[in-house]
Amino acid sequence: MKPNFNNDLLQEDELYKIASKKVVKLKAFYSHAFMYIIGVIVYILKEYFGAPFNFFPIQYINGFVMGIWTTVFLISAIDVFATHKIFGDEWEERKVKSILEKKTEKQKWE
């Protein structure tokens, strides 16, 4: 029996695409984390130490904005780090099989 090199290459290509998507998500998250830390530092300096930041974007940083930003940051962190535990590879495989089965069933009746 010959090994199926074409199938192995396809699987390797799919794994590479998945890994590259994860790297892009991680890079975006780390950029967001860096900006968030700077925002928290500016907020603390402004609110608790009275630093005079009265120029355009920074003058609008207040508790409400920081609350929204914190919520978005936490959702982003959950998306990057926890979704693979909830929606892991096994879930993805089951979902793909389910969708393909539904598509096959639809095609039988059409």
Side-chain angles (χ1 to χ4, degrees):
M1 181 185 241
K2 290 183 180 179
N4 191 351
F5 293 112
N6 194 19
N7 192 24
D8 291 339
L9 290 174
L10 287 175
Q11 286 180 348
E12 187 173 318
D13 187 47
E14 289 176 18
L15 290 175
Y16 180 79
K17 286 178 184 178
I18 291 169
S20 65
K21 284 180 185 180
K22 288 182 181 182
V23 168
V24 168
K25 281 178 108 175
L26 272 174
K27 183 178 177 184
F29 174 76
Y30 290 143
S31 299
H32 187 190
F34 180 72
M35 294 303 296
Y36 177 73
I37 289 169
I38 290 173
V40 168
I41 290 169
V42 168
Y43 174 72
I44 290 171
L45 289 174
K46 184 179 171 191
E47 293 297 318
Y48 296 104
F49 296 107
F53 295 125
N54 294 324
F55 47 92
F56 170 61
I58 297 185
Q59 72 186 13
Y60 296 109
I61 293 180
N62 56 26
F64 180 73
V65 171
M66 290 308 296
I68 291 173
W69 197 357
T70 301
T71 303
V72 170
F73 180 72
L74 291 175
I75 290 170
S76 177
I78 289 169
D79 179 44
V80 171
F81 296 112
T83 55
H84 72 279
K85 291 180 182 173
I86 298 169
F87 301 111
D89 294 334
E90 294 173 4
W91 179 85
E92 287 180 16
E93 288 177 22
R94 284 194 317 265
K95 196 64 178 172
V96 167
K97 286 179 184 177
S98 170
I99 290 170
L100 290 175
E101 286 174 2
K102 287 179 183 178
K103 191 173 185 178
T104 304
E105 288 174 10
K106 241 185 196 179
Q107 289 177 352
K108 287 180 183 176
W109 295 102
E110 292 180 331

